[in-house]
């Protein structure tokens, strides 16, 4: 008799395990693509994945990376990614250009974009930029620099560059657009001291426009609203965890970089993590973590209107940002 | 203070100076050796770095010649444009060092309507493949390998890169701008490149071995590690990120010097390697910088090992030195202790004490000889001393006997004439240590006359005593009842003066008292005048006569004087030993004090007077040694009435 009872208990347990597995299999699948190669800029996503925050939220998240050839927005448009991160300006422009994407979270609240020049080029104030060569990425991120130059009536010779700082280091250009969290530190890590550089932070000149945000297609938002909300919350949790566990986070990021066969070192990733965490923090802006401030949205839209020369862009905050 | 042994002091000093000298020599040696090692290390570092760079340059320089020549060929039209692709394929095939090569044209420079064209030949296993690099996804105009040399109008070695999926190796591209003629103008035609695998280069640098952990490393123009012993650093770290991670700001300074093309030997204390010397210099072609790292500890490891040996040997040597020094010194100076024992033996009277046997030291031999000489001299001296002492003792004994004989000549029994109540007489002769020349005498010439005398011979000792004895004997033999005092004295004088070669003399007072009549006849030959005490109270000196002492002039005629002595009168006679008795301050007793003492005891008997005077003298001299005989004689006359 006893034997029969044990068999029954065993069968019950087996059934229970199977049902649990089925439950897990039913968790919502999401594909996320950051808008650049693995680096500390996206630490929160790796942490949320590694720490199981997504899984705990009932999500099965997969991170795929964009490349110089295929941007995260391309992946979004093609349906290869459900959620992507992107620059606010780029996303608005895409939306204006009829790509039905929406912002589901504004992670960065500040601008990390800046111009950097070598002091030896004789540049110490914006007026000194007149007539100099400016290196700007061919991939974009140029709205604010152009607004800055236009507002100050500064003419510069624009040189499109790919993604290295070597032309600047070789004195091929006098000035370069860089991200404070990335290329600026790369320049310093190439042997140029900070005191040898003149830095113009656009944020200091009134262009503190948020950058990285999370986007999905409107259709996705409609069907996976709940999963997306969970994704945003788990991501914010990931960032919170990253801020409190810098060493772990940097190690995780470096491991991701190694997986992608990218040059990696901790010094730069620590710098990037610290700077990106500063960007995420609202600071003097009256906005909650992950929220897009209406004023920022309108300012960004204004700049785009002026840059593109299209004045009657009809895009509202409510259409664009899904709280 | 505790005195330390001589050997201890010598050894301590030797040890001290040996250590001092050793330390000085060692320091000098260490300093110079260290400088020498540093100098040779510097030379070696420079040589090593230069040599490594030379090896690399020997490969790179000919490779650089290929695109350089190619640019000239393109400009001159030596290569027809339609055969560029096969030309590149041939070029890659024929040059094993080249992994791939491209000729990338500026827009419209290959053909007026061709916006971009970049024929490219690369290795694919054994085969050489050719393609056009340009595609919408590969805009070569903004690639570093194209953009930088195109903008700078100069050849450029790109940052090293890992060619994943292609060569699967670390590559660097050498880009050379070429120019073409367009509308009569020399304009940029494009960029010629060769991709070179850096495997051989890393192999050359990696093969540099310095001591145990020293190494060579190569960094690119932006500080990226092209080679490093830790493969994790290659392409991942720049020397600056590493400086940041290791928190070594000095390493950043070194890195800056390196990318600026400075050649320098510098030192840095690294957390990973400890204190190291780094020599760095730039490669002329790629402008990359090579560093050679010399761990300081290992640089001086040999020296430190040698130092340890030297110090160890020094301690052993010092120990041996100490051991032998102690032995030698102890052996050398051990006779001193024996000498001391011998000296103690000699001092205690054992003149035959054996002296230590000396063989090895001149000085000790000399000391030994001196000791032996001293021993012999002392022995001789003692023998001599013994003889002298016994001779002296003999003389002293004889003198004592002479003194006893002399004293025996002087009457000692008082009262001398118990049967004669008319006179009382008392005399003393307290002789000094030596035999003296004082004398006194008294005797009866007949029943009625008493002869008495007192004298003092000039000088002291045996001659004086002999002279005294002679004088006394002469007195006894010459004096008789027939002769006057003057005749007796003159007779004595005559005898004494005769053949008196020694010129001795004697002051002499001779008196003859007529007991019945109380008449005193006397002759004073230069002697102290006696004191006359009258009626037991009046004290006065006799008149001083001018007669000379006896023994000087043979023919001198002495005269007699006489006084009358009353009942109870007393005559006090003395020698100059009394009046010239000295105290410690050489103050004389003196005539006045004498008279005072006598007058105080004027009523006393002769014995009492003499005893009182003796006491007075003793009080005066207060224990000062008596230098002369002290002779006193006092005669009291009671006359016949008492009988």
């Amino acid at each position: 008799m006893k034997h029969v009872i044990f068999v029954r208990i065993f069968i019950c347990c087996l059934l229970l395990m199977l049902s649990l597995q089925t439950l897990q299999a039913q968790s919502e699948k999401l594909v996320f693509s950051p808008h650049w190669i693995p680096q500390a800029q996206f630490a929160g996503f790796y942490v949320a994945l590694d720490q199981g925050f997504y899984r705990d939220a009932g999500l099965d998240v997969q991170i795929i990376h964009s490349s110089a050839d295929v941007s995260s927005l391309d992946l979004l448009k093609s349906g290869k990614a459900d959620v992507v991160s992107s620059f606010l300006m780029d996303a608005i422009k895409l939306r204006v250009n009829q790509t039905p994407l929406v912002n589901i979270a504004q992670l960065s609240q500040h601008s990390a974009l800046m111009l950097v020049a070598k002091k030896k080029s004789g540049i110490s104030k914006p007026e000194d930029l007149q007539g100099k060569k400016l290196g700007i990425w061919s991939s974009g991120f140029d709205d604010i620099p152009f607004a800055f130059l236009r507002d100050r009536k500064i003419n510069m010779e624009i040189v499109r560059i790919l993604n290295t700082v070597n032309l600047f280091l070789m004195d091929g250009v006098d000035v370069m657009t860089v991200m404070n969290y990335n290329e600026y530190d790369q320049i310093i890590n190439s042997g140029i001291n900070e005191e040898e550089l003149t830095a113009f932070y656009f944020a200091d000149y009134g262009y503190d426009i948020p950058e990285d945000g999370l986007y999905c297609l409107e259709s996705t938002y409609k069907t996976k609203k709940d999963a997306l909300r969970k994704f945003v919350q788990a991501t914010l949790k990931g960032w919170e965890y990253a801020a409190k566990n810098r060493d772990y986070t940097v190690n995780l990021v470096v491991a991701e970089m190694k997986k992608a066969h990218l040059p990696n070192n901790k010094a730069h990733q620590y710098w990037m993590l610290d700077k990106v965490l500063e960007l995420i923090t609202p600071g003097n802006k009256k906005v909650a973590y992950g929220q897009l401030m209406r004023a920022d949205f309108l300012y960004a839209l204004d700049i785009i209107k002026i840059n593109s020369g299209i004045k009657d862009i009809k895009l509202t905050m409510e259409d664009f940002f899904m709280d | 203070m505790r005195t330390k042994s001589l050997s201890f002091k010598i050894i301590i000093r030797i040890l001290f100076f040996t250590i001092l000298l050793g330390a000085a020599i060692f320091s000098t040696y260490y300093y110079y050796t260290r400088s020498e090692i540093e100098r040779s290390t510097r030379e070696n570092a420079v040589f090593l770095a230069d040599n490594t760079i030379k090896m690399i340059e020997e490969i790179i320089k000919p490779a650089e010649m290929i695109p350089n020549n190619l640019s000239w060929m393109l400009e001159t039209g030596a290569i027809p444009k339609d055969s560029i692709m096969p030309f590149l394929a041939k070029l890659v095939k024929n040059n094993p060092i080249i992994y791939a090569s491209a000729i990338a044209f500026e827009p419209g420079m290959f053909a007026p309507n061709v916006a971009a064209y970049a024929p490219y030949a690369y290795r694919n296993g054994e085969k050489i493949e050719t393609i056009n690099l340009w595609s919408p996804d590969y805009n070569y105009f903004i690639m570093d390998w194209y953009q930088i040399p195109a903008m700078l109008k100069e050849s450029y070695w790109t940052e090293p890169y890992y060619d994943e999926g292609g060569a699967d190796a670390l590559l660097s591209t050498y880009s050379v701008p070429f120019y073409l003629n367009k509308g009569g103008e020399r304009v940029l035609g494009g960029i010629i490149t060769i991709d070179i695998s850096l495997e051989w280069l890393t192999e050359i640098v990696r093969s540099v071995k310095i001591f145990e952990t020293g190494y060579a490393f190569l960094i690119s123009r932006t500080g990226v590690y092209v080679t490093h012993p830790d493969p994790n650093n290659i392409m991942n770290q720049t020397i600056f990120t590493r400086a940041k991670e290791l928190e070594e700001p000095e390493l950043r300074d070194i890195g800056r010097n390196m990318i600026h093309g400075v050649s320098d030997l510098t030192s840095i204390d690294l957390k990973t390697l400890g204190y190291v010397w780094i020599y760095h210099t730039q490669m002329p072609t790629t402008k990359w910088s090579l560093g050679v790292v010399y761990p300081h500890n290992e640089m001086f490891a040999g020296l430190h090992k040698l130092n340890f040996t030297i110090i160890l040997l020094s301690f052993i040597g010092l120990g041996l030195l100490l051991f032998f020094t102690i032995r030698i010194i102890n052996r050398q100076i051990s006779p001193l202790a024996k000498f001391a024992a011998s000296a103690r033996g000699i001092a205690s009277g054992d003149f035959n004490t054996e002296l230590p046997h000396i063989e090895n030291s001149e000085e000790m031999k000399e000391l030994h000889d001196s000791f032996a000489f001293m021993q012999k001299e002392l022995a001789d001296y003692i023998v001599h001393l013994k003889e002298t002492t016994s001779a002296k003792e003999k003389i002293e004994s004889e003198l004592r006997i002479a003194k006893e004989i002399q004293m025996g000549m002087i009457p000692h029994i008082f009262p001398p004439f118990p049967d004669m109540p008319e006179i009382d007489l008392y005399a003393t002769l307290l002789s000094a240590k030596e035999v003296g020349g004082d004398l006194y005498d008294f005797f009866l010439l007949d029943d009625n006359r008493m002869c008495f005398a007192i004298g003092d011979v000039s000088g002291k000792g045996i001659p004086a005593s002999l002279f005294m004895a002679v004088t006394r004997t002469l007195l006894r033999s010459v004096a008789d009842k027939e002769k006057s005092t003057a005749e007796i004295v003159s007779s004595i004088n005559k005898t004494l003066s005769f053949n008196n070669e020694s010129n001795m003399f004697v002051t002499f007072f001779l008196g003859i008292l007529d007991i019945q009549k109380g008449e005193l006849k006397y002759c004073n030959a230069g002697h102290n005048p006696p004191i006359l005490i009258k009626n037991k109270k009046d004290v006065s000196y006799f008149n001083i006569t001018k007669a000379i002492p006896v023994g000087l002039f043979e023919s001198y005629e002495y005269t007699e004087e006489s006084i009358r002595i009353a009942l109870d009168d007393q005559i006090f006679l003395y020698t100059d030993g009394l009046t010239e008795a000295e105290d410690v301050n050489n103050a004389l007793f003196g005539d006045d004090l004498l008279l005072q003492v006598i007058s105080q005891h004027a009523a006393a008997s002769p014995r009492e007077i003499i005893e009182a005077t003796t006491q007075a003298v003793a009080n005066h001299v207060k224990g000062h040694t008596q230098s002369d005989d002290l002779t006193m004689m006092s005669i009291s006359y009671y006359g016949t009435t008492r009988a």
Side-chain angles (χ1 to χ4, degrees), chain A residues 110-173:
Chain A
H110 303 281
S111 167
L113 207 58
M114 62 194 285
L115 292 182
V116 67
K118 289 179 187 164
K119 279 186 182 158
K120 67 173 185 185
S121 315
I123 296 166
S124 61
K125 52 188 187 297
E127 300 83 78
D128 299 332
L129 297 169
Q130 193 71 39
K132 303 279 186 190
K133 283 183 187 168
L134 169 64
I136 293 190
W137 299 297
S138 58
S139 52
F141 307 114
D142 49 15
D143 296 284
I144 293 171
F146 286 151
F148 172 85
L149 297 179
R150 188 186 56 243
D151 292 348
R152 282 162 186 74
K153 298 183 173 61
I154 296 167
N155 285 313
M156 294 189 79
E157 185 186 332
I158 305 299
V159 178
R160 290 291 177 176
I161 55 173
L162 190 60
N163 52 21
T164 75
V165 294
N166 292 327
L167 188 63
F168 175 75
L169 295 175
M170 291 294 295
D171 295 330
V173 288

Side-chain angles (χ1 to χ4, degrees), chain A residues 75-91:
Chain A
L75 291 171
L76 186 70
K77 278 190 279 185
S78 64
K80 284 178 183 161
D82 300 307
V83 191
V84 298
S85 73
S86 185
F87 227 55
L88 176 65
M89 285 285 197
D90 290 347

Side-chain angles (χ1 to χ4, degrees), chain B residues 150-383:
Chain B
M151 283 193 72
L152 300 178
K153 304 273 194 296
E154 61 184 36
S155 51
Y156 170 71
W157 278 95
T158 66
E159 287 294 300
Y161 56 94
Y162 196 81
D163 186 32
E164 210 172 5
D168 279 326
L170 196 64
L171 302 182
S172 179
T173 300
Y174 178 60
S175 305
V176 179
F178 68 93
Y179 299 88
L180 294 174
N181 196 312
K182 190 180 182 187
E185 260 185 272
R186 188 174 182 262
V187 294
L188 182 71
I191 300 295
I192 306 166
T193 69
I194 49 166
D195 299 346
I196 289 192
S197 165
L198 300 178
E199 301 299 301
W200 58 272
L201 183 148
T202 53
E203 198 47 53
I204 287 174
V205 179
R206 205 163 44 214
S207 69
V208 173
K209 293 273 181 258
I210 302 161
F211 303 126
E212 287 289 313
T213 59
Y215 60 90
F217 66 96
L218 192 65
I219 60 168
S220 75
R221 291 175 89 157
T222 60
V224 175
Y225 283 109
V226 182
T227 74
H228 193 273
D230 180 359
N232 286 329
N233 290 331
I234 298 170
M235 296 306 292
N236 287 328
Q237 299 271 10
T238 70
I239 194 166
F240 308 106
T241 56
R242 203 165 143 75
K244 202 165 167 184
E245 277 182 17
L246 299 174
E247 292 172 352
E248 306 269 17
E250 281 174 64
L251 186 61
R252 182 177 174 90
D253 296 338
I254 292 173
R256 276 168 60 85
N257 279 336
M258 288 179 81
I259 63 169
H260 292 145
V262 177
S263 296
D264 188 24
L265 180 73
T266 178
S267 61
I268 177 171
D269 194 3
L270 288 171
K271 289 187 183 81
T272 46
L273 282 176
Y275 194 71
V276 295
W277 289 87
I278 298 178
Y279 175 75
H280 53 82
T281 190
Q282 200 178 43
M283 284 171 62
T285 49
T286 57
K287 306 276 188 263
W288 300 344
S289 188
L290 181 82
V292 283
V293 180
Y294 283 73
H296 183 269
N297 281 344
E298 293 168 22
M299 245 166 91
F300 298 107
L303 178 64
H304 289 153
K305 215 171 174 180
L306 186 63
N307 284 350
F308 179 74
T309 313
I310 287 174
I311 289 171
L312 193 72
L313 286 176
S314 300
F315 273 110
I316 294 169
L318 214 58
L320 286 174
L321 179 74
L322 197 64
F323 175 72
F324 285 111
T325 311
I326 291 170
R327 275 195 64 135
I328 291 166
I329 288 176
N330 281 344
R331 187 182 289 177
Q332 290 294 326
I333 67 167
S334 64
L336 285 181
K338 291 180 188 161
F339 274 126
S342 302
R344 225 170 279 132
I346 293 166
S348 64
D350 180 8
F351 297 113
N352 293 323
T353 299
E354 203 181 331
L355 291 176
H357 186 66
I358 305 295
E359 274 181 347
N360 48 3
S361 163
E362 277 299 314
E363 290 82 358
M364 285 293 167
K365 270 184 189 162
E366 216 163 277
L367 186 64
H368 176 270
D369 293 349
S370 301
F371 254 82
F373 181 68
M374 185 188 79
Q375 199 178 19
K376 187 181 162 294
E377 285 294 299
L378 269 176
D380 288 354
Y381 176 73
I382 294 296
V383 169

Side-chain angles (χ1 to χ4, degrees), chain B residues 71-106:
Chain B
S71 87
W72 171 82
M73 287 164 79
L74 282 170
E75 191 168 354
T76 55
I79 310 168
K81 282 180 180 171
D82 53 358
S83 59
I84 284 176
M85 200 71 105
F87 178 87
L88 282 179
K90 199 90 179 161
L91 185 138
V92 172
K93 194 178 183 184
N94 293 344
N95 292 281
I97 183 79
I98 296 173
Y99 167 74
S101 179
I103 298 174
F105 286 90
E106 278 280 284

